[in-house]
Amino acid sequence: MEKLKLSLKLLPDVYLFVLIIFIKTLSANIAMKLVHQSTFYTLFGILGSSLIFASILSLFKFKTRYIAFYIFDFLISLILLTDIVYNRYFLDVTSAALIKQAGLVGEVKDSVFALLKPWDLFYFVDFIFISLFYKYFKRNLVENETKLTKRLTSFAMLVILGLTFSYQSVKALDKRQPGILKTMYDKKYIVSNIGNINFHAFDLYNFIKRNVLNIKKIDENEIKETLKWFEDKNINKNKNYFGEYRGKNLIVVQLEAFQGFVLERKINGQELTPNLNKLAKDSLVFENYYYQTAWGGTSDAEFLSNVSLLPARDGSVYYQYAGNKYNALPKELKGIGYFTAVMHANRPGFWNRTNMYRALGFDKYESEKDFNIDEIQGMGLSDKSFFKQAVEKMKSYDKPFYSFLITLSSHFPYKDYQNKIAKIINVGEFEGDVVGDYLKAVKYTDEAVGLFIDELKRSGLWDNSIVVFYGDHAAIPYEKKSSLAKIIYGKDDLTTLEWVTNQKVVMMIHFPDERIKGIDKTTAGQMDLYPTLANLYGIEPKYVLGRDLLNQKDGFILTREGNFVTNEYAYLKSTDKLVELKNGKEADKEKFKYLFDKYKTYFDMSNKMIEYDLLRYLER
């Protein structure tokens, strides 16, 4: 305690630094309107990061320390102001990944002066007071120069305190949102919980680990072999329906957490999805359509469906590889004269969508700021209002167009915060449980889908568009599999095979002439959507992993969890067994080595394409 008192007495400027940085960082959270997301641990995080920087200051003698004070203060102030200005435009914070995406964020550079406000000077006004402080105390600080041993003691105490506070903050965040620091899918939420400085430290660490320390080299021959593998794989021999719907609009709706079991399902005698069930009768329905998402959740589904490559082996493609060149559906449709737009009534920076959508070739991104948030359901704008406004937007688009819509109301944790759908369906024994909440959210979104279809018909768009509905990822977590067993099979638990084969999502395509419809039982996945739609519009993508489901029926899907499924077999990674789908009997893995080789090859090729940005080599 005596050492601490002495340290405080001998290094007053260091503790002034802590106070200044703490106030500035906290004010940045307030300026970005993140206080409502903050917790008690947020203060720990902000204080911890301030103490860590202060510990470095304490190592210097006065003559160096006061210069370092100005430098640290200026750099931190600049980072905070950059976050605030960037947030005014993109409703998000900056990240090290923007170093690789510099060409994608020109708008901020061009508009920076318009985004600056007079009160932003607050982040630099302390320099006046610091100058006065040093001028007044300079003689005292020089005369009482702290010895090295005491500076080291101060450093040790400050860094231990700083790391302890920061660790507690980070630990609390990871407990609330497991994996968020790995994927960085919601940067503002991270900042709101651990502070800007800690966020940028993690962000920089991830960037360096993936882009500097983990740089892998690939030789020219391997590049050519990988690209040729894709080209050979995607030689289209059968071209049924090729280009037959070119000129028709394409409307794709990604339904939040819509697992396949919800279709044709009754809960206590009530249809769960009557509108989708009705639509299915006039559509092409893929009964065995699996989600293939990983750490990237919803963004992985978007990527799989628009690019037909697998999710990143670690983290999120949207966050790590938004600067890549992609052979994507929106880009290819643009090439044949389509206007391309994406709509999601959420913050534009969530999942780094603003940058990624440019890379994928979307002309326009209609985000939260482009919608009238007139009705809230669940986490944001209600699906009913979203769909209604989306149709109005599409009516004004240049024709033909590709519009990609992402819903929100059925997003986990499926809470009816506005208490509007409590009585929408009787969920019986699941009332008050996350599963019951999910069933109500599904029922609500299905009602919204019905209204959406009606609006499309009234607007004249329905008869001139291919309309696709598919689910993005699982809704029922593994710990609730007993509930899933009751809903689907009326029993208390699921076998491993039953669990894996129920990781399917809704998938149906409605054609304007209703010439193609019925039930397709081919084992398929989200990587197959792009090549299937491309064929209909007369596009021949060369660098896709999936296949055209209208021309190829050799079912095969694979997931980052290690499972794969064909039309006849499923490999269950958790039990290391290959089993027959029809009876669950174990098969001899040695006889099906080609399937395991295919699994490995698909992952290797997808990884290389993404991690080495191989399409850039075609520009040389």
Side-chain angles (χ1 to χ4, degrees):
M1 185 60 69
E2 289 300 319
K3 288 184 176 180
L4 179 59
K5 289 180 180 178
L6 182 62
S7 176
L8 287 168
K9 181 179 179 182
L10 295 175
L11 297 168
D13 51 333
V14 172
Y15 301 100
L16 176 63
F17 175 86
V18 173
L19 179 64
I20 289 172
I21 300 304
F22 179 85
I23 292 172
K24 284 186 178 183
T25 309
L26 184 60
S27 71
N29 266 33
I30 295 170
M32 290 188 287
K33 299 180 180 178
L34 299 178
V35 177
H36 68 286
Q37 294 181 327
S38 300
T39 69
F40 176 74
Y41 288 100
T42 305
L43 301 179
F44 274 27
I46 294 173
L47 179 59
S49 57
S50 302
L51 287 168
I52 291 170
F53 268 92
S55 70
I56 301 171
L57 280 183
S58 68
L59 288 172
F60 300 125
K61 289 184 177 181
F62 171 74
K63 289 185 178 180
T64 306
R65 191 168 69 245
Y66 89 91
I67 296 174
F69 190 126
Y70 283 115
I71 294 172
F72 284 3
D73 189 11
F74 177 78
L75 290 176
I76 292 171
S77 299
L78 189 62
I79 290 170
L80 294 174
L81 182 57
T82 301
D83 281 344
I84 290 167
V85 172
Y86 188 83
N87 178 66
R88 286 174 186 154
Y89 194 93
F90 289 116
L91 302 182
D92 204 10
V93 293
T94 53
S95 72
L98 294 176
I99 296 170
K100 293 178 69 177
Q101 304 164 20
L104 301 176
V105 292
E107 292 139 288
V108 173
K109 175 177 67 65
D110 297 337
S111 309
V112 66
F113 291 110
L115 294 169
L116 286 169
K117 307 296 181 185
W119 49 87
D120 291 336
L121 291 173
F122 163 79
Y123 292 94
F124 300 95
V125 74
D126 60 295
F127 281 71
I128 299 171
F129 299 103
I130 295 166
S131 299
L132 294 173
F133 172 86
Y134 274 127
K135 183 177 181 180
Y136 185 78
F137 290 104
K138 180 177 180 181
R139 181 176 177 182
N140 181 266
L141 289 167
V142 172
E143 290 176 354
N144 293 285
E145 183 66 77
T146 313
K147 293 181 180 179
L148 178 60
T149 54
K150 292 175 181 176
R151 296 203 304 274
L152 289 172
T153 300
S154 295
F155 167 78
M157 288 189 296
L158 289 171
V159 78
I160 290 171
L161 280 172
L163 290 173
T164 300
F165 282 129
S166 292
Y167 172 76
Q168 291 299 324
S169 178
V170 169
K171 182 181 176 182
L173 171 62
D174 194 55
K175 186 177 180 180
R176 287 191 300 278
Q177 297 285 340
I180 194 170
L181 290 169
K182 188 181 184 74
T183 60
M184 294 286 191
Y185 65 83
D186 190 349
K187 298 192 288 294
K188 281 182 75 173
Y189 184 77
I190 297 172
V191 169
S192 73
N193 281 269
I194 66 175
N196 299 67
I197 300 172
N198 280 333
F199 161 76
H200 284 295
F202 270 98
D203 177 57
L204 185 61
Y205 166 75
N206 285 333
F207 181 81
I208 292 173
K209 183 177 74 170
R210 290 164 178 160
N211 297 281
V212 180
L213 301 179
N214 197 34
I215 290 178
K216 302 171 187 175
K217 293 186 177 180
I218 185 170
D219 61 39
E220 202 72 32
N221 287 334
E222 194 172 1
I223 293 169
K224 291 178 180 178
E225 288 172 4
T226 302
L227 293 174
K228 188 175 186 304
W229 180 90
F230 275 99
E231 291 162 5
D232 291 346
K233 174 193 168 298
N234 293 303
I235 293 175
N236 194 354
K237 297 176 182 177
N238 300 311
K239 295 188 177 182
N240 294 324
Y241 310 110
F242 185 76
E244 290 189 16
Y245 291 88
R246 180 177 288 197
K248 298 295 184 182
N249 303 315
L250 174 60
I251 302 170
V252 176
V253 181
Q254 182 169 293
L255 297 167
E256 177 63 39
F258 256 64
Q259 284 194 242
F261 75 85
V262 302
L263 290 183
E264 300 296 340
R265 181 73 50 193
K266 286 187 177 182
I267 303 295
N268 291 310
Q270 290 181 271
E271 268 191 293
L272 191 57
T273 58
N275 292 292
L276 284 171
N277 295 343
K278 181 180 177 183
L279 178 65
K281 291 178 173 59
D282 297 316
S283 303
L284 179 61
V285 179
F286 292 90
E287 197 172 70
N288 296 304
Y289 194 81
Y290 288 78
Y291 71 85
Q292 297 173 276
T293 58
W295 281 101
T298 298
S299 71
D300 279 350
E302 298 173 32
F303 183 73
L304 280 153
S305 301
N306 283 286
V307 184
S308 189
L309 293 175
L310 297 170
R313 70 171 89 198
D314 183 42
S316 160
V317 173
Y318 268 41
Y319 180 69
Q320 298 177 65
Y321 302 104
N324 280 18
K325 180 179 175 63
Y326 293 108
N327 170 217
L329 177 59
K331 189 177 291 184
E332 293 300 305
L333 285 170
K334 277 181 66 173
I336 60 171
Y338 274 66
F339 174 76
T340 59
V342 56
M343 301 186 205
H344 185 39
N346 201 352
R347 290 191 290 104
F350 201 89
W351 280 123
N352 197 34
R353 285 186 169 105
T354 300
N355 296 320
M356 191 62 177
Y357 287 156
R358 287 194 186 91
L360 297 183
F362 283 107
D363 291 310
K364 191 168 188 178
Y365 174 21
E366 309 263 19
S367 67
E368 180 184 56
K369 60 188 178 69
D370 301 298
F371 284 86
N372 176 21
I373 311 301
D374 56 354
E375 181 184 48
I376 301 295
Q377 181 57 46
M379 290 183 63
L381 180 65
S382 72
D383 286 348
K384 290 181 180 180
S385 179
F386 169 67
F387 280 138
K388 184 176 181 180
Q389 293 183 59
V391 173
E392 288 302 311
K393 291 177 184 294
M394 286 187 280
K395 284 162 62 176
S396 67
Y397 287 168
D398 292 338
K399 309 296 188 299
F401 64 78
Y402 166 37
S403 187
F404 184 66
L405 287 69
I406 305 158
T407 69
L408 188 59
S409 294
S410 53
H411 196 290
F412 184 85
Y414 321 123
K415 291 295 184 184
D416 179 24
Y417 298 109
Q418 295 74 35
N419 196 32
K420 294 179 180 177
I421 60 173
K423 304 297 183 183
I424 196 169
I425 187 171
N426 176 17
V427 296
E429 64 182 297
F430 303 112
E431 185 65 45
D433 183 75
V434 65
V435 174
D437 292 340
Y438 170 66
L439 297 174
K440 292 178 183 181
V442 164
K443 179 70 171 175
Y444 171 81
T445 293
D446 179 76
E447 288 184 0
V449 167
L451 295 173
F452 178 55
I453 293 171
D454 290 343
E455 289 289 332
L456 287 173
K457 289 178 178 178
R458 275 193 289 270
S459 69
L461 293 173
W462 183 257
D463 293 331
N464 201 38
S465 305
I466 287 179
V467 184
V468 181
F469 290 95
Y470 75 89
D472 60 354
H473 52 65
I476 308 299
Y478 185 77
E479 58 267 24
K480 291 289 183 180
K481 67 187 179 82
S482 61
S483 296
L484 191 60
K486 289 177 184 176
I487 293 171
I488 298 176
Y489 302 110
K491 61 179 187 176
D492 294 329
D493 204 359
L494 298 175
T495 65
T496 303
L497 176 60
E498 288 170 339
W499 170 257
V500 170
T501 54
N502 274 291
Q503 301 312 300
K504 301 169 187 174
V505 288
V506 168
M507 168 57 174
M508 62 182 73
I509 305 175
H510 180 270
F511 294 83
D513 53 12
E514 296 186 353
R515 182 160 62 96
I516 309 172
K517 58 184 178 180
I519 303 295
D520 191 309
K521 295 183 179 295
T522 305
T523 295
Q526 290 162 328
M527 66 181 183
D528 300 319
L529 181 58
Y530 170 18
T532 301
L533 294 175
N535 177 65
L536 296 169
Y537 287 90
I539 297 167
E540 297 181 274
K542 294 181 179 179
Y543 305 104
V544 296
L545 208 60
R547 80 279 196 211
D548 171 15
L549 297 174
L550 293 170
N551 285 291
Q552 299 178 49
K553 300 300 179 183
D554 54 333
F556 180 74
I557 67 99
L558 66 168
T559 70
R560 281 285 180 196
E561 292 178 332
N563 303 314
F564 64 76
V565 186
T566 71
N567 287 343
E568 294 86 24
Y569 296 93
Y571 174 65
L572 313 176
K573 177 67 175 177
S574 63
T575 60
D576 191 25
K577 291 180 180 180
L578 183 70
V579 299
E580 291 186 60
L581 291 176
K582 63 182 179 181
N583 55 28
K585 290 183 179 179
E586 187 173 359
D588 184 354
K589 289 190 292 184
E590 290 301 316
K591 292 182 180 179
F592 296 91
K593 186 175 180 297
Y594 72 94
L595 288 176
F596 291 88
D597 290 342
K598 184 176 183 178
Y599 174 91
K600 183 179 183 301
T601 299
Y602 270 45
F603 268 119
D604 286 347
M605 294 301 169
S606 184
N607 289 341
K608 288 176 186 177
M609 184 65 80
I610 295 169
E611 293 170 8
Y612 297 113
D613 193 10
L614 292 192
L615 293 186
R616 292 285 178 196
Y617 289 88
L618 296 175
E619 298 176 339
R620 297 186 307 182

